[in-house]
Amino acid sequence: KRMADEGVVEIVRGGATLPDVLREAAFQHCLNLNADLKRKIAAAAAALVNNGDTIMIGGGSTTCYLALALRDHRNLRVITNSVDAARILGSRGENEVHAVGGRLDDYLGSTVGVVAVENIRRYSAEKTFFSVGAVEASIGLTSDTADEVACWQAMIEAGSKAIALIDSSK
């Protein structure tokens, strides 16, 4: 009871749990799933990017690994709705990073929604990299949210080449 009063724990049926602010965010949890495979996918995707390229990077954990794999690239022009990709690439290699606004989706680690889609459509890129929630035999690439799919579609339309980063768990 004293710890709950101090905000250290929250009382729940049958016990206590950490408060929401101290729990691992959903996106952080996704980063840890299949991390080695995501790093390999990201390294292969980074090999497709040349210094000076204009690229789009969508949200998701695999695209976050792509941003990490691109840290040594120089003079990239990056358009992204990924909060982490913007932070990682914006601080390195004289890159020009355009962070797309919109509604922040904590699970995806990115911005989504009408504002994000409208902003994405203002740009063009040589290559678009995006990650997906799942691959279904009957419908193809899919996600839990229509907002995320709308962002992919806008990025795919704005890019000359689209590259989906998909690990085997999908």
Side-chain angles (χ1 to χ4, degrees), residues 64-139:
C64 184
Y65 281 106
L66 172 62
L68 291 168
L70 291 170
R71 285 182 297 191
D72 292 330
H73 282 65
R74 299 285 178 251
N75 300 310
L76 296 176
R77 182 171 185 246
V78 180
I79 299 95
T80 185
N81 65 332
S82 166
V83 175
D84 285 320
R87 180 185 51 78
I88 291 164
L89 295 173
S91 63
R92 307 213 28 142
E94 299 178 13
N95 296 319
E96 178 184 321
V97 175
H98 298 262
V100 174
R103 180 179 54 80
L104 180 61
D105 184 315
D106 184 51
Y107 181 78
L108 300 171
S110 61
T111 56
V112 295
V114 175
V115 172
V117 170
E118 288 174 359
N119 284 314
I120 290 165
R121 289 185 175 145
R122 295 178 184 182
Y123 296 96
S124 63
E126 295 154 352
K127 298 171 188 96
T128 295
F129 297 92
F130 65 101
S131 183
V132 302
V135 178
E136 298 289 335
S138 60
I139 59 174

Side-chain angles (χ1 to χ4, degrees), residues 31-68:
L31 276 173
N32 296 325
L33 296 176
N34 297 319
D36 289 337
L37 186 53
K38 290 176 182 181
R39 281 187 197 91
K40 289 177 184 174
I41 292 167
L48 301 173
V49 177
N50 300 309
N51 290 331
D53 277 357
T54 298
I55 62 172
M56 288 194 174
I57 300 176
S61 58
T62 307
T63 53
C64 184
Y65 281 106
L66 172 62
L68 291 168

Side-chain angles (χ1 to χ4, degrees), residues 12-35:
V12 295
R13 183 176 175 179
T17 185
L18 290 173
D20 283 336
V21 296
L22 298 178
R23 283 190 210 129
E24 183 178 78
F27 180 72
Q28 292 300 318
H29 174 73
C30 291
L31 276 173
N32 296 325
L33 296 176
N34 297 319

